[in-house]
Amino acid sequence: MRQRHAGVSAARNAGADGLSPHRWLTFLDSDDKALPGWLEALHAQVVASPDDRLVAVFCGLRVVGARGGTRLRLPHDMGPAHRRMTGLFIPGTYALRADVLPHLGGFRVGLKFSENTDLALRLADAVEEMGWRTAAVAVPLVQIHERAVRHPPEVRLSAVEMMLDEHAHRLARDPAMAAAYRAIAGVQAARLGDASAARRWFWEALRTNPRDLRHAGRLLMSAAPAVLRWRYARQVEERDDLKRPSAEPSRRPRRNQP
């Protein structure tokens, strides 16, 4: 399918619309790899469901680091903002019942950062409200490579501000996640050279989650604009939504493991 360039969310929505006769859908980015048994394992959960309330199935993934080595990420408790849903919301790690995506309003067009988290937050509330169910396979079934994602700071800052605004009531259930998003906003403001805005965001992060001393460290650093500019001058290389604003267990296999 081809359409005018409108970003990843619009592309995924168009692809889902084009698959309307099918009951389930999943997403796999072109530079990622499905491991043996990927679709079979997801489909087995669908077949095993005793009723029609199952709307999402999750699996784990293997992350190949930019400097070598691998680590595993498995479905986990995504925290209070996600209604304690056990899952993992990175393309390839989830399958949705096809009628659920339009019910949620689809991916948010124009959002270039945290678009998967945005959808996951809406899904978690819908699962709670509609009495739906989800399932998870605690094995890695896709492989992705860490790579640089060079969204300009203003794009990231705009996306984070939207997340904090649109999901304020959900993030209120999870102070650690809400504070992490405010810290991300502070980092982007620092990269844009706005020390005052960065200081304000870091203060909000600390006030939201005072138990995380990293927020205090960032706030102290913001008192010295020159240090702040030096610390955040380089664009941090990370893949969208890999380093989520909520904590989760990480499993690092030994190098001689497959």
Side-chain angles (χ1 to χ4, degrees), residues 45-216:
Q45 294 294 317
V46 176
V47 173
S49 177
D51 51 47
D52 288 333
R53 293 187 298 120
L54 184 69
V55 296
V57 182
F58 304 98
C59 69
L61 81 162
R62 179 189 300 156
V63 183
V64 180
R67 299 180 181 178
T70 62
R71 71 180 189 274
L72 303 183
R73 291 184 60 174
L74 301 178
H76 61 281
D77 180 340
M78 298 176 72
H82 291 88
R83 303 278 190 179
R84 295 289 179 189
M85 182 171 67
T86 296
L88 186 60
F89 237 79
I90 296 169
T93 66
Y94 62 91
L96 293 176
R97 209 172 66 194
D99 61 330
V100 171
L101 191 61
H103 177 90
L104 300 176
F107 287 93
R108 197 180 299 273
V109 176
L111 186 61
K112 298 179 180 179
F113 176 71
S114 283
E115 71 276 1
N116 291 293
T117 302
D118 168 66
L119 185 68
L121 286 165
R122 288 182 278 139
L123 172 65
D125 271 5
V127 168
E128 181 87 5
E129 294 162 3
M130 303 295 292
W132 291 339
R133 293 190 304 103
T134 65
V137 183
V139 294
L141 295 174
V142 293
Q143 178 174 291
I144 68 175
H145 292 265
E146 271 189 332
R147 68 191 191 283
V149 176
R150 303 188 182 278
H151 292 317
E154 58 271 20
V155 171
R156 287 182 178 240
L157 179 57
S158 175
V160 170
E161 288 176 335
M162 188 284 300
M163 291 288 289
L164 287 167
D165 183 51
E166 292 289 332
H167 298 292
H169 61 295
R170 298 180 177 103
L171 294 175
R173 302 191 294 255
D174 192 343
M177 186 175 181
Y181 266 114
R182 291 183 168 97
I184 292 173
V187 169
Q188 305 315 313
R191 289 189 177 132
L192 290 169
D194 192 340
S196 177
R199 189 178 306 114
R200 185 172 63 252
W201 280 117
F202 292 149
W203 164 243
E204 289 293 332
L206 180 61
R207 191 172 68 168
T208 303
N209 185 22
R211 293 187 298 176
D212 191 336
L213 297 181
R214 292 174 298 177
H215 301 315

